[in-house]
Every structure is written in structure tokens, then in C-alpha cells.
Amino acid sequence: MDDASMVGLMGRVTGAVGPGLVGEVIVRVRGGAEHFLAYPATPKERIERGTVVMVVEYLPPRTVYVSAAYDA
């Protein structure tokens, strides 16, 4: 999967994402669902488990930067 095709995909946080944390998200991709290590796109943002997020940057093979998809 190339970088451009990951950007914009939606996922759900399965392990809190935030400053000083390596979080985890699950994203539907390649006909299934895969887990990726996740960091916040905004450095001081904390995103709790269960939050729907959007991938804003992809670093192959398993790292994404995400932001909350909806305002809380």
C-alpha cells in the first residue's frame, strides 16, 4: 500500500494516543482490518480509546499519525 492511499482512511483507537505514548489504531485496509502504531498529528493532543480517527500521515510499514475525526 502506498502512502497516499492510507492518508484519509478512518480508524478507531484501540490504545490511547498522546504525548509520550505510542498508541494503537485499527484501520480497515487491504480487504481487512489491521493494527498500526499511532501518534497524534497534533503533538499535545490526547486521543482516548474508542475514538474514531483519520490517518493524516503514514510511515511504512506500520506507523500512522492520526487526528480525531469528529469534534468531541
Side-chain angles (χ1 to χ4, degrees):
M1 172 148 289
D2 65 14
D3 298 5
S5 59
M6 281 291 293
V7 173
L9 293 180
M10 305 291 255
R12 185 170 303 273
V13 175
T14 55
V17 176
L21 300 173
V22 177
E24 183 182 63
V25 297
I26 189 167
V27 178
R28 289 190 173 274
V29 63
R30 294 186 274 263
E34 296 183 21
H35 289 266
F36 293 85
L37 299 177
Y39 295 93
T42 305
K44 295 185 180 184
E45 183 179 18
R46 181 173 173 91
I47 307 171
E48 298 299 328
R49 186 175 179 205
T51 303
V52 176
V53 293
M54 181 171 49
V55 175
V56 297
E57 187 175 349
Y58 171 59
L59 301 174
R62 308 287 319 156
T63 303
V64 293
Y65 283 80
V66 297
S67 62
Y70 307 106
D71 291 332

